[in-house]
Amino acid sequence: MPAVTRAIVLWCPDWPVTATVQTLELPADSPLALVHHNLVFACSAAARADGVKRGLRIREAQARCTQLLVHPYDPVVDARAFEPVLAAVEEITPGVQLVRPGTCVLRARGPARYYGGEEQAAAELLRCLEGLGIPDARIGIADGPFAAEQAARSTGADRVRVIPPGASPSFLAPLPVSVLGQDALTPLLHRLGIHRLGDLSALDPTDVRERFGELGARCHTLASGLDGAAVVPRTPPKQLDRVIEFEPPLDRVDQVTFAFRGTAEAFVAGLTKAGLVCTSLRIEVTDESGRLSERTWLHPRLFSAADVVDRVRWQLQGSGAIDSGLGSPIARVVVAPESVDDIGHHEDGLWGGGADERIHHGLSRVQSMLGHDAVLTATIGGGRALAERQVLVPWGDRPVGVARIEQPWPGSLPAPAPATVFEAPRQVGVFSEQGDPVAVDVRGSVSAPIHRFSATGSPRDAREVDAWAGPWPVRERWWDPEHARTVQRFQVVDSDGTAWLLVLDDGGWRAEARYD
């Protein structure tokens, strides 16, 4: 019999929505939907009242709620907004374990003994969250973190539910097996007639393990109320942020950057003392009217104090600077690390820095003299066409406002990629054995086998084709008649052994790339 820890779970419903509302300063009653992969990931209560729910496509959600505000889901916003909540909870009761942004768990014994009971400890936690502007938090107390989380999700108007010691199995028994969160296992359990946790817990543990493996055994343990997972308190992160406030506010870029230099040096010194380096940082600039300019900067190696000052200057110059003045005086500047790495991974070699370090210092120097956008480097973005995947970004920055490569791109070219991609596709000719141009009908059928290929587009320069494959149709923006586009892709190997990537659209045959 595993040892079960008495646990307190603090759950904030709709936390992704709450975090986005706080970050974007939206009205609390806004009909809001957060979208991930073109599907609704989370939505507000106002949106749910109009029929919006998780898993809907954007267009269907907008059809149900015409006033719906749509924003992309960003897990970084969730984690960043929940950090002050964790810090506030740790001030009144240490030993907090983060489950996910919006949910955390504590051992119940310490807070219950300190505040005089489990209900009193829960009431103190709710008062703490109400002071942070989170009035709808829920708390569940039970044997084991799993049962405590289910208790928190089933609370009533008092927002606290306490399951007495030893009563977790009977509390969990009527709950559906879907609460286990095992999407692959749940349909199989339903087909076997196991619809509730009580049905699963009534089975023999050995039989469950033999039939479903370790995953099934773990689910059986949870359904039986014997969750032996330990509550492992997190180690609070060190305070590495640096803030400088100007009184009175400063209205010149050179004044702000000069005053910020000492803060930048303290920021880098704090990282060094902690044995860290910063590879990505966030800069927040607030003017005297309260408007916030926020941007994340990426560095190819690590940020020095001079690099941090440069980023502040570039951000000021890009947010309303005229010559050396600012549109509104700056009252506050915050610099915070987004990504850090161990300092040992960035130490110089035995004989000093390498060639890449000299290149970086040279390009950064040119960038500091000519401006942030004066030095560009190539990176790969998302898309289906090879030309649109070539993206130029400022040196040391991440792509902003371009399609992300990790998104699914149906119809994109599989590996290996061509060695030469033409900046402007070249007009070419593709002919049948009779010398007629090859075409593709609306059903995707080729009018005749490809027999000859001309890199110039002229039949007189055509050479025989050794092999060809295709077509592979690519249809984009079919819902927008003005910007809809359909192309057919082919791969052709001519008699010289050169492979070509060809596309056929309304403009005729063109060569998009060449396999060298």
Side-chain angles (χ1 to χ4, degrees):
M1 185 72 65
V4 180
T5 302
R6 190 77 174 162
I8 300 176
V9 168
L10 189 153
W11 174 56
C12 300
D14 298 330
W15 179 254
V17 174
T18 302
T20 303
V21 167
Q22 291 180 350
T23 302
L24 301 180
E25 298 182 354
L26 300 174
D29 57 350
S30 300
L32 176 66
L34 302 181
V35 178
H36 185 61
H37 289 170
N38 205 35
L39 300 176
V40 175
F41 179 82
C43 57
S44 63
R48 285 196 296 271
D50 289 337
V52 180
K53 60 182 181 180
R54 181 186 174 98
L56 285 181
R57 292 189 175 274
I58 298 178
R59 287 186 174 273
E60 185 176 352
Q62 292 174 328
R64 296 186 180 187
C65 179
T66 57
Q67 304 297 323
L68 187 66
L69 301 178
V70 177
H71 290 276
Y73 169 68
D74 188 354
V76 176
V77 173
D78 277 9
R80 185 188 305 164
F82 198 60
E83 185 63 32
V85 177
L86 293 174
V89 172
E90 286 172 335
E91 289 184 0
I92 63 173
T93 174
V96 179
Q97 177 185 351
L98 175 65
V99 178
R100 70 186 71 89
T103 305
C104 60
V105 59
L106 310 89
R107 296 190 186 97
R109 180 181 178 183
R113 295 179 64 181
Y114 184 82
Y115 291 104
E118 294 176 342
E119 292 84 356
Q120 291 82 350
E124 190 65 28
L125 288 171
L126 290 178
R127 281 194 293 269
C128 174
L129 295 186
E130 289 173 357
L132 297 175
I134 307 175
D136 57 347
R138 303 287 190 268
I139 291 180
I141 304 175
D143 295 337
F146 175 74
E149 182 172 353
Q150 302 311 314
R153 293 177 179 271
S154 61
T155 55
D158 55 357
R159 297 184 294 152
V160 176
R161 184 167 186 178
V162 179
I163 307 301
S168 291
S170 59
F171 161 70
L172 294 172
L175 298 182
V177 293
S178 58
V179 301
L180 294 170
Q182 303 297 333
D183 297 336
L185 186 60
T186 299
L188 178 57
L189 294 175
H190 285 168
R191 289 196 296 270
L192 295 175
I194 303 172
H195 299 280
R196 303 191 179 279
L197 297 183
D199 302 333
L200 180 59
S201 64
L203 301 176
D204 184 83
T206 304
D207 295 340
V208 173
R209 182 183 297 274
E210 291 178 353
R211 176 62 178 84
F212 302 107
E214 291 298 328
L215 177 60
R218 171 64 178 164
C219 292
H220 183 274
T221 300
L222 296 179
S224 303
L226 302 176
D227 182 12
V231 177
V232 182
R234 71 165 190 157
T235 301
K238 298 180 180 179
Q239 187 64 31
L240 301 175
D241 302 5
R242 288 294 184 271
V243 182
I244 183 172
E245 297 184 354
F246 306 116
E247 183 59 42
L250 304 179
D251 58 357
R252 293 179 60 87
V253 174
D254 55 351
Q255 292 176 336
V256 176
T257 54
F258 181 80
F260 182 76
R261 189 173 300 276
T263 303
E265 293 174 352
F267 170 72
V268 174
L271 288 168
T272 303
K273 184 177 180 180
L276 302 171
V277 296
C278 180
T279 58
S280 175
L281 60 82
R282 186 181 76 257
I283 296 176
E284 301 175 1
V285 179
T286 307
D287 62 19
E288 64 176 354
S289 61
R291 290 180 300 181
L292 176 66
S293 169
E294 182 178 356
R295 180 168 179 177
T296 298
W297 299 86
L298 189 68
H299 199 284
R301 293 189 69 252
L302 57 93
F303 280 99
S304 64
D307 293 330
V308 177
V309 174
D310 284 341
R311 269 56 175 187
V312 172
R313 182 174 70 252
W314 295 339
Q315 185 163 329
L316 293 174
Q317 292 172 342
S319 59
I322 303 175
D323 293 330
S324 62
L326 293 169
S328 181
I330 301 302
R332 189 169 185 261
V333 177
V334 179
V335 57
E338 284 280 334
S339 300
V340 295
D341 195 9
D342 191 279
I343 196 171
H345 298 161
H346 298 264
E347 294 289 350
D348 290 339
L350 181 62
W351 310 110
D356 59 339
E357 184 178 354
R358 295 196 296 269
I359 293 173
H360 163 67
H361 285 315
L363 293 178
S364 298
R365 180 61 178 166
V366 174
Q367 195 176 40
S368 65
M369 293 187 295
L370 301 182
H372 178 55
D373 297 325
V375 181
L376 304 178
T377 184
T379 187
I380 299 177
R384 296 176 179 85
L386 293 174
E388 68 185 16
R389 298 187 64 190
Q390 305 176 54
V391 182
L392 295 177
V393 297
W395 174 258
D397 207 349
R398 60 160 56 97
V400 178
V402 300
R404 294 188 293 180
I405 190 173
E406 65 270 14
Q407 292 181 343
W409 294 102
S412 60
L413 188 69
T420 301
V421 179
F422 304 124
E423 183 175 358
R426 299 180 179 181
Q427 206 73 28
V428 298
V430 178
F431 307 98
S432 64
E433 187 175 5
Q434 291 75 25
D436 300 323
V438 177
V440 178
D441 60 22
V442 294
R443 300 177 67 90
S445 300
V446 182
S447 61
I450 298 176
H451 185 70
R452 299 178 67 82
F453 165 75
S454 172
T456 63
S458 173
R460 294 175 298 181
D461 302 330
R463 65 192 71 170
E464 291 188 1
V465 171
D466 288 344
W468 64 278
W472 297 288
V474 178
R475 297 181 176 90
E476 294 182 318
R477 297 185 176 273
W478 50 266
W479 62 88
D480 186 354
E482 183 178 352
H483 299 93
R485 176 173 176 260
T486 300
V487 300
Q488 307 287 342
R489 273 181 167 163
F490 289 79
Q491 289 175 326
V492 172
V493 180
D494 60 22
S495 57
D496 294 339
T498 304
W500 302 79
L501 178 65
L502 308 181
V503 295
L504 173 62
D505 56 14
D506 295 338
W509 285 93
R510 292 175 298 164
E512 187 178 15
R514 182 177 63 226
Y515 294 86
D516 295 336

